[in-house]
Amino acid sequence: MLTIGAFAKACRLSPKALRLYDELDLLRPARVDPDTGYRYYAPEQLEQARLVAWLRRLGMPLARIRQVGAMESPAAAQEIRAFWARVEAETAARRDLAAFLVDHLSTPPRKDTHLMASTDLLELRYAARTDTGLVRAANQDTAYAGARVLAVADGFGPGGAPAGAAAVEALKFLDAEPLTAGSVLNLLEDAVQGAAQAVRDVADTEHGRTGDEKTDDVGTTLTAMVWTGSRLALVHIGDSRAYLLRDGELFLITHDHTVVQSMIDEGRLTPEEAAAHPQRTLLVKALTRAPASPDLRLHDARPGDRYLLCSDGLTRAVPEDTIQHLLATVPDPDATAVALIETANANGGPDNVSCVVADVVAGSGGGGVGLSRTV
């Protein structure tokens, strides 16, 4: 038997940490002296202790380490792989924010719409359309495009349509706000809190009207962008998407918050397997009664950029290469939105489909130009 001091030295854990792990039932000593309370450990416990130490160095929470420690080796390896995939995804989001902050603090302030000379202005040309599709009885999508705010929401559950509409409505006040790149993320985060509260209010109203506990399932996705005149701030939660077409190349700039995407991130599914998975529409995050943290980020805009925001009714029905082709070859934003919806319906129209198409163009100071329409 090893004393706690000798065991601590051998496994690179402090005696204080070993006492804590004993109290948490994470690493029990082999024997405790009944008179002195002194802890003793068996040599065969060293491997478990070293695993705990390694997992703590990875930053794994103690509760999750307890779960890993109770698993057989193959399952434990899979759990560690899944944990690290999530860490890398979170690190990537923080890296983007850090890069923005470094750029923001290292360069002269960028000119935004309300500060720029008219010869330097960029503006948006935009269109928004939404369609019920060929299968659904009702449309629970909402699509909106304004001079500064672009948004798509895909509601679900009883009251899904008003939930999506309420979430988008909560952002519209930003259309009238003079925004700068330095302040827009804070304003957008506050607006999303308002959107989340609006969704909860819809769920409460629906529950009061019907008494149906299924109103706990009321919610909506939300993918929205807010224009500052030089940059677009993005907020995203759920499986609606935002794409950027730049120099003919199509980039997906959101990350689906779905069960199957999590499984792809963890290496448990390939994208091809995910496309046919029975849980491919199951969300892990959305605006519901439960608290959730959307993704927030800032994108530099260039003249000639084209953005697409869409519900999953488009991406489930239309391959990305077709989306890229239509975005690259149909010049007018409204005609592009129409073509995308018509293509989804030609492929069976299995869901409601919504599209917002916005072009970044050199402007004259008159603000963005476009339309929103429900088909």
Side-chain angles (χ1 to χ4, degrees), residues 208-271:
R209 185 178 68 83
T210 65
D212 189 348
E213 290 301 325
K214 290 183 179 179
T215 53
D216 287 339
D217 298 329
V218 171
T220 184
T221 70
L222 180 65
T223 300
M225 303 189 86
V226 179
W227 176 241
T228 71
S230 61
R231 291 178 173 180
L232 280 157
L234 169 71
V235 59
H236 167 71
I237 188 167
D239 63 351
S240 297
R241 290 182 173 181
Y243 289 91
L244 166 63
L245 183 77
R246 175 174 285 174
D247 298 327
E249 296 293 322
L250 187 66
F251 303 93
L252 175 63
I253 58 174
T254 52
H255 193 73
D256 291 349
H257 298 139
T258 60
V259 169
V260 295
Q261 185 60 55
S262 297
M263 295 171 76
I264 293 171
D265 295 341
E266 294 165 6
R268 295 158 59 190
L269 277 183
T270 66

Side-chain angles (χ1 to χ4, degrees), residues 97-158:
L97 178 57
F100 158 68
L101 290 173
V102 169
D103 177 64
H104 179 67
L105 296 172
S106 301
T107 59
R110 298 173 63 96
K111 300 175 182 178
D112 288 308
T113 300
H114 63 293
L115 300 174
M116 295 166 69
S118 61
T119 55
D120 295 326
L121 282 173
L122 298 176
E123 62 186 27
L124 297 181
R125 295 285 189 270
Y126 53 83
R129 285 185 176 256
T130 182
D131 185 80
T132 304
L134 304 182
V135 175
R136 303 291 190 187
N139 192 350
Q140 292 190 302
D141 282 5
T142 299
Y144 174 79
R148 290 192 177 92
V149 176
L150 315 170
V152 166
D154 182 356
F156 54 84

Side-chain angles (χ1 to χ4, degrees), residues 35-187:
D35 297 322
T36 65
Y38 207 73
R39 296 169 173 84
Y40 294 89
Y41 294 83
E44 54 266 28
Q45 290 182 283
L46 281 170
E47 189 64 28
Q48 181 187 5
R50 288 172 180 141
L51 177 62
V52 171
W54 291 331
L55 293 177
R56 287 300 290 158
R57 288 181 65 187
L58 284 180
M60 184 178 286
L62 292 175
R64 193 158 184 178
I65 292 176
R66 186 185 299 112
Q67 296 172 358
V68 172
M71 295 176 176
E72 297 295 330
S73 294
Q78 186 67 39
E79 186 66 18
I80 294 168
R81 183 182 296 112
F83 168 77
W84 191 247
R86 292 193 182 96
V87 170
E88 288 183 323
E90 292 167 359
T91 301
R94 292 197 299 270
R95 182 174 61 243
D96 290 342
L97 178 57
F100 158 68
L101 290 173
V102 169
D103 177 64
H104 179 67
L105 296 172
S106 301
T107 59
R110 298 173 63 96
K111 300 175 182 178
D112 288 308
T113 300
H114 63 293
L115 300 174
M116 295 166 69
S118 61
T119 55
D120 295 326
L121 282 173
L122 298 176
E123 62 186 27
L124 297 181
R125 295 285 189 270
Y126 53 83
R129 285 185 176 256
T130 182
D131 185 80
T132 304
L134 304 182
V135 175
R136 303 291 190 187
N139 192 350
Q140 292 190 302
D141 282 5
T142 299
Y144 174 79
R148 290 192 177 92
V149 176
L150 315 170
V152 166
D154 182 356
F156 54 84
V168 172
E169 189 66 33
L171 303 183
K172 288 185 181 178
F173 78 93
L174 294 170
D175 254 341
E177 291 288 322
L179 304 173
T180 66
S183 65
V184 67
L185 286 180
N186 290 337
L187 287 170

Side-chain angles (χ1 to χ4, degrees), residues 125-127 129 245 248 304-308 321-343 356-359 361:
R125 295 285 189 270
Y126 53 83
R129 285 185 176 256
L245 183 77
D305 283 351
R306 169 167 277 193
Y307 289 87
L308 168 68
D321 58 350
T322 302
I323 292 173
Q324 179 177 0
H325 174 73
L326 292 173
L327 289 172
T329 59
V330 182
D332 177 68
D334 186 50
T336 306
V338 171
L340 290 166
I341 290 173
E342 288 179 345
T343 304
V356 173
V357 179
D359 295 336
V361 299

